[in-house]
Amino acid sequence: MKTGDFKVLIIGAGIGGLTTALALAQNGVHVEIFEKAAKFSDAGAGLQLSPNAMAVLSSLGLGIQIEAICCEPTAGILRDYKSGKALFTTKMKGVYEPRYGHKYLHIHRADLIDCLANAARVAGVRIHFDSKVSAVRETEKEVKIENEGQIHKADVLVAADGVHSSLRETITGKSRPVFTGQVAWRGLVPTSKLPLGTIPFAANNWLGPGQHFVSYYVSKGEMINFVAVQERSDWVEERWDIPADRDELQNAFRSWDPRVTALIKACGEAYLWGLFDHPPLKTWTKRRMALLGDAAHPMLPFMAQGAAMAIEDAWVLAHCLLQKKLDIPQALHDYEAFRKPRTTQLQMISIQNADLYHQRTAI
């Protein structure tokens, strides 16, 4: 089979889906993406691109472009929730690149999506919006999806459609997420809404009893991203886009460092997100179908590696498919074998970090 005759369909035009498409298309594979949303949204939040993620993005030719729209934090700082005093500081700027070959950067999700989508289109990837896959069928020689009454055929189908993946149950059976007892507010604040220097140009993490608050700059320093986590006894929806009650958010952190309360007050809108733990899946692949990113290994945000793991998945999956495109089941088996131990370990560490960030006694 010639590379140009090889075809891959991807469900989901998020970070994992777009990175996979780009990695394959740059090597001559015909790729189409089906995204249920009507368009890319500006809504979203900040992301942390650690050197492992940047290694992949740089290899795809996007390193310089991404650095131009990111922020490089000076340090990672753990702070007391009331006084804001630095409890522990780790220098970041100028440290990661000499050690790992790439910087540690912060980026707005919408900026990264835009960068990946533009590069994917240039590489020949077709992106279909407002396209919900209604059926999937597989034969020994191909996989088929139905969309709007049309049948699309390919050699491989990749589900990169997030935590509520439409294909996960087909591949691995039912998954039962468990509420962690924590919710998170997420918001973005224009830097211009606060006095200059209110929030230090660092990866800040205020630690408090049963709560913590993270903030850092994105969009070339023009926006400040925050994630505010609180323990709760119950929650129903596993979504990140529920409009938040501003008064509830302010009351939850009213006695904290004035820099935290000022940031919350300046926020125009925030979203509430119920945090659920997904036990590692038994398998990610089935013959010609594979899960990727949050569809394969939903990850709590306490290691800031969700996006990085999807980016790594994309690189490894593309490599395995290109190496063994004449034996798709083996290629997908190799992909899972390479990736599952690493993502499972990070899922576990993320769960453990939730407790570490919440003081049980005041400092």
Side-chain angles (χ1 to χ4, degrees), residues 72-78 88-100 104 201-203:
E72 184 179 9
T74 58
I77 306 175
L78 301 181
F88 183 80
T89 300
T90 301
K91 185 180 178 183
M92 297 179 73
K93 189 169 185 177
V95 172
Y96 284 83
E97 189 170 22
R99 184 178 297 172
Y100 301 113
Y104 196 116
F201 206 87

Side-chain angles (χ1 to χ4, degrees), residues 271-289:
Y271 297 91
L272 193 56
W273 175 26
L275 302 180
F276 284 71
D277 175 28
H278 290 252
L281 300 177
K282 292 181 180 178
T283 184
W284 300 355
T285 65
K286 186 177 182 181
R287 294 187 294 273
R288 293 177 175 269
M289 301 183 292

Side-chain angles (χ1 to χ4, degrees), residues 250-315:
Q250 289 180 334
N251 287 334
F253 292 86
R254 65 182 180 274
S255 62
W256 284 48
D257 181 351
R259 292 176 291 188
V260 169
T261 57
L263 184 57
I264 292 173
K265 187 176 181 180
C267 181
E269 60 182 3
Y271 297 91
L272 193 56
W273 175 26
L275 302 180
F276 284 71
D277 175 28
H278 290 252
L281 300 177
K282 292 181 180 178
T283 184
W284 300 355
T285 65
K286 186 177 182 181
R287 294 187 294 273
R288 293 177 175 269
M289 301 183 292
L291 302 173
L292 183 141
D294 280 349
H297 45 75
M299 200 164 294
L300 292 170
F302 307 128
M303 271 290 287
Q305 283 290 301
M309 289 302 100
I311 291 168
E312 285 188 7
D313 285 352
W315 182 262

Side-chain angles (χ1 to χ4, degrees), residues 8 73 137 346:
V8 176
R137 293 188 293 276
L346 285 172

